[in-house]
Amino acid sequence: MTREEFEELVAEALDRIPPELTRLMDNVAVFVEDEPPAEDPELLGLYEGTPLTERGEWYAGVLPDRITVYRGPTLRMCERDGGDRELVVEEVEITVVHEIAHHFGIDDERLHALGYG
């Protein structure tokens, strides 16, 4: 799958987020990178920033939070699992929702319980 196709899957996953949630997202940008940091080669996605639940009056003039979805490990994982394009679509959607949930202050334990681990 080309990078452009993968980026389109991420855009489509973002489009499926309910509008009532996307309206609440604040100061966050979404990126696609080919590979994660070397110290975590299996990482599918990463949220970097200050969750909405932790922002206070001090939160002004800061760079946007960053959500990154990693193409390489996602494709490799889906290939290992014998999956096709549909498995990649599903995994991208899970990853996007997972990272957006971090923006809303939801931790990994709760996400795993909800099936977005």
Side-chain angles (χ1 to χ4, degrees):
M1 177 177 292
T2 68
R3 182 179 174 112
E4 292 77 24
E5 291 170 318
F6 191 84
E7 288 173 348
E8 184 61 33
L9 292 182
V10 171
E12 290 170 4
L14 288 166
D15 288 344
R16 285 190 290 277
I17 303 295
E20 55 271 17
L21 291 179
T22 56
R23 280 194 294 272
L24 297 173
M25 292 173 64
D26 182 45
N27 199 31
V28 61
V30 179
F31 300 90
V32 170
E33 296 289 341
D34 288 327
E35 296 296 332
E39 62 271 7
D40 200 354
E42 301 298 314
L43 189 65
L44 304 182
L46 180 64
Y47 169 75
E48 299 170 283
T50 304
L52 295 175
T53 55
E54 296 177 16
R55 295 180 185 179
E57 60 271 353
W58 59 268
Y59 188 85
V62 299
L63 291 173
D65 291 2
R66 182 180 176 104
I67 291 174
T68 308
V69 181
Y70 297 105
R71 178 176 163 264
T74 302
L75 296 178
R76 288 190 296 274
M77 183 188 78
C78 292
E79 184 177 303
R80 275 193 311 268
D81 292 344
D84 55 7
R85 179 179 170 80
E86 290 308 309
L87 184 59
V88 176
V89 169
E90 181 180 319
E91 194 54 53
V92 166
E93 187 166 317
I94 289 169
T95 301
V96 167
V97 169
H98 182 106
E99 302 310 330
I100 288 173
H102 286 320
H103 176 68
F104 283 102
I106 301 171
D107 65 17
D108 280 329
E109 183 178 325
R110 179 70 177 135
L111 285 168
H112 284 276
L114 293 170
Y116 290 99

PDB file of all heavy atoms in Angstrom, residues 72-85:
ATOM      1  N   GLY A  72       4.484   1.813   8.449  1.00  0.00           N
ATOM      2  CA  GLY A  72       5.270   0.581   8.371  1.00  0.00           C
ATOM      3  C   GLY A  72       4.806  -0.502   9.333  1.00  0.00           C
ATOM      4  O   GLY A  72       4.490  -1.620   8.914  1.00  0.00           O
ATOM      5  N   PRO A  73       4.776  -0.225  10.643  1.00  0.00           N
ATOM      6  CA  PRO A  73       4.374  -1.274  11.573  1.00  0.00           C
ATOM      7  C   PRO A  73       2.918  -1.714  11.399  1.00  0.00           C
ATOM      8  O   PRO A  73       2.591  -2.883  11.613  1.00  0.00           O
ATOM      9  CB  PRO A  73       4.601  -0.677  12.963  1.00  0.00           C
ATOM     10  CG  PRO A  73       4.959   0.732  12.755  1.00  0.00           C
ATOM     11  CD  PRO A  73       5.240   0.968  11.318  1.00  0.00           C
ATOM     12  N   THR A  74       2.059  -0.801  10.973  1.00  0.00           N
ATOM     13  CA  THR A  74       0.657  -1.163  10.740  1.00  0.00           C
ATOM     14  C   THR A  74       0.569  -2.168   9.600  1.00  0.00           C
ATOM     15  O   THR A  74      -0.088  -3.212   9.723  1.00  0.00           O
ATOM     16  CB  THR A  74      -0.191   0.081  10.422  1.00  0.00           C
ATOM     17  OG1 THR A  74      -0.084   1.014  11.510  1.00  0.00           O
ATOM     18  CG2 THR A  74      -1.643  -0.282  10.198  1.00  0.00           C
ATOM     19  N   LEU A  75       1.243  -1.880   8.499  1.00  0.00           N
ATOM     20  CA  LEU A  75       1.204  -2.788   7.351  1.00  0.00           C
ATOM     21  C   LEU A  75       1.858  -4.130   7.669  1.00  0.00           C
ATOM     22  O   LEU A  75       1.345  -5.184   7.290  1.00  0.00           O
ATOM     23  CB  LEU A  75       1.863  -2.139   6.132  1.00  0.00           C
ATOM     24  CG  LEU A  75       1.175  -0.885   5.591  1.00  0.00           C
ATOM     25  CD1 LEU A  75       1.954  -0.325   4.412  1.00  0.00           C
ATOM     26  CD2 LEU A  75      -0.271  -1.161   5.219  1.00  0.00           C
ATOM     27  N   ARG A  76       2.978  -4.101   8.391  1.00  0.00           N
ATOM     28  CA  ARG A  76       3.660  -5.354   8.742  1.00  0.00           C
ATOM     29  C   ARG A  76       2.799  -6.212   9.663  1.00  0.00           C
ATOM     30  O   ARG A  76       2.704  -7.431   9.486  1.00  0.00           O
ATOM     31  CB  ARG A  76       5.019  -5.063   9.386  1.00  0.00           C
ATOM     32  CG  ARG A  76       6.056  -4.550   8.397  1.00  0.00           C
ATOM     33  CD  ARG A  76       7.446  -4.490   9.000  1.00  0.00           C
ATOM     34  NE  ARG A  76       7.571  -3.545  10.109  1.00  0.00           N
ATOM     35  CZ  ARG A  76       7.832  -2.241   9.961  1.00  0.00           C
ATOM     36  NH1 ARG A  76       7.985  -1.714   8.751  1.00  0.00           N
ATOM     37  NH2 ARG A  76       7.961  -1.464  11.021  1.00  0.00           N
ATOM     38  N   MET A  77       2.153  -5.590  10.642  1.00  0.00           N
ATOM     39  CA  MET A  77       1.300  -6.336  11.556  1.00  0.00           C
ATOM     40  C   MET A  77       0.136  -6.974  10.802  1.00  0.00           C
ATOM     41  O   MET A  77      -0.179  -8.152  11.012  1.00  0.00           O
ATOM     42  CB  MET A  77       0.762  -5.430  12.653  1.00  0.00           C
ATOM     43  CG  MET A  77      -0.085  -6.172  13.670  1.00  0.00           C
ATOM     44  SD  MET A  77      -0.904  -5.080  14.824  1.00  0.00           S
ATOM     45  CE  MET A  77      -2.252  -4.518  13.804  1.00  0.00           C
ATOM     46  N   CYS A  78      -0.488  -6.229   9.935  1.00  0.00           N
ATOM     47  CA  CYS A  78      -1.622  -6.757   9.177  1.00  0.00           C
ATOM     48  C   CYS A  78      -1.178  -7.878   8.244  1.00  0.00           C
ATOM     49  O   CYS A  78      -1.884  -8.872   8.077  1.00  0.00           O
ATOM     50  CB  CYS A  78      -2.321  -5.643   8.407  1.00  0.00           C
ATOM     51  SG  CYS A  78      -3.167  -4.463   9.497  1.00  0.00           S
ATOM     52  N   GLU A  79      -0.004  -7.738   7.664  1.00  0.00           N
ATOM     53  CA  GLU A  79       0.524  -8.787   6.776  1.00  0.00           C
ATOM     54  C   GLU A  79       0.812 -10.067   7.565  1.00  0.00           C
ATOM     55  O   GLU A  79       0.480 -11.164   7.130  1.00  0.00           O
ATOM     56  CB  GLU A  79       1.794  -8.286   6.092  1.00  0.00           C
ATOM     57  CG  GLU A  79       2.354  -9.263   5.077  1.00  0.00           C
ATOM     58  CD  GLU A  79       3.570  -8.693   4.368  1.00  0.00           C
ATOM     59  OE1 GLU A  79       3.441  -7.613   3.761  1.00  0.00           O
ATOM     60  OE2 GLU A  79       4.641  -9.338   4.450  1.00  0.00           O
ATOM     61  N   ARG A  80       1.410  -9.926   8.759  1.00  0.00           N
ATOM     62  CA  ARG A  80       1.682 -11.093   9.622  1.00  0.00           C
ATOM     63  C   ARG A  80       0.400 -11.821   9.996  1.00  0.00           C
ATOM     64  O   ARG A  80       0.383 -13.037  10.133  1.00  0.00           O
ATOM     65  CB  ARG A  80       2.393 -10.657  10.904  1.00  0.00           C
ATOM     66  CG  ARG A  80       3.883 -10.523  10.814  1.00  0.00           C
ATOM     67  CD  ARG A  80       4.525 -10.411  12.177  1.00  0.00           C
ATOM     68  NE  ARG A  80       3.912  -9.425  13.055  1.00  0.00           N
ATOM     69  CZ  ARG A  80       4.291  -8.149  13.155  1.00  0.00           C
ATOM     70  NH1 ARG A  80       5.278  -7.702  12.414  1.00  0.00           N
ATOM     71  NH2 ARG A  80       3.684  -7.334  13.981  1.00  0.00           N
ATOM     72  N   ASP A  81      -0.666 -11.049  10.176  1.00  0.00           N
ATOM     73  CA  ASP A  81      -1.953 -11.627  10.562  1.00  0.00           C
ATOM     74  C   ASP A  81      -2.726 -12.162   9.362  1.00  0.00           C
ATOM     75  O   ASP A  81      -3.884 -12.563   9.498  1.00  0.00           O
ATOM     76  CB  ASP A  81      -2.802 -10.586  11.305  1.00  0.00           C
ATOM     77  CG  ASP A  81      -2.218 -10.223  12.663  1.00  0.00           C
ATOM     78  OD1 ASP A  81      -1.344 -10.974  13.162  1.00  0.00           O
ATOM     79  OD2 ASP A  81      -2.629  -9.198  13.232  1.00  0.00           O
ATOM     80  N   GLY A  82      -2.084 -12.143   8.186  1.00  0.00           N
ATOM     81  CA  GLY A  82      -2.713 -12.688   6.986  1.00  0.00           C
ATOM     82  C   GLY A  82      -3.833 -11.821   6.449  1.00  0.00           C
ATOM     83  O   GLY A  82      -4.673 -12.283   5.682  1.00  0.00           O
ATOM     84  N   GLY A  83      -3.813 -10.570   6.848  1.00  0.00           N
ATOM     85  CA  GLY A  83      -4.902  -9.677   6.478  1.00  0.00           C
ATOM     86  C   GLY A  83      -4.753  -9.045   5.125  1.00  0.00           C
ATOM     87  O   GLY A  83      -3.686  -9.048   4.517  1.00  0.00           O
ATOM     88  N   ASP A  84      -5.850  -8.516   4.680  1.00  0.00           N
ATOM     89  CA  ASP A  84      -5.904  -7.804   3.421  1.00  0.00           C
ATOM     90  C   ASP A  84      -6.143  -6.324   3.705  1.00  0.00           C
ATOM     91  O   ASP A  84      -5.962  -5.860   4.843  1.00  0.00           O
ATOM     92  CB  ASP A  84      -7.012  -8.374   2.537  1.00  0.00           C
ATOM     93  CG  ASP A  84      -8.360  -8.372   3.238  1.00  0.00           C
ATOM     94  OD1 ASP A  84      -8.484  -7.819   4.355  1.00  0.00           O
ATOM     95  OD2 ASP A  84      -9.316  -8.915   2.666  1.00  0.00           O
ATOM     96  N   ARG A  85      -6.549  -5.612   2.698  1.00  0.00           N
ATOM     97  CA  ARG A  85      -6.799  -4.176   2.834  1.00  0.00           C
ATOM     98  C   ARG A  85      -7.814  -3.882   3.938  1.00  0.00           C
ATOM     99  O   ARG A  85      -7.673  -2.914   4.670  1.00  0.00           O
ATOM    100  CB  ARG A  85      -7.265  -3.615   1.499  1.00  0.00           C
ATOM    101  CG  ARG A  85      -7.569  -2.129   1.537  1.00  0.00           C
ATOM    102  CD  ARG A  85      -8.006  -1.630   0.149  1.00  0.00           C
ATOM    103  NE  ARG A  85      -8.517  -0.289   0.195  1.00  0.00           N
ATOM    104  CZ  ARG A  85      -7.782   0.813   0.231  1.00  0.00           C
ATOM    105  NH1 ARG A  85      -6.470   0.710   0.218  1.00  0.00           N
ATOM    106  NH2 ARG A  85      -8.341   2.005   0.267  1.00  0.00           N
TER     107      ARG A  85
END
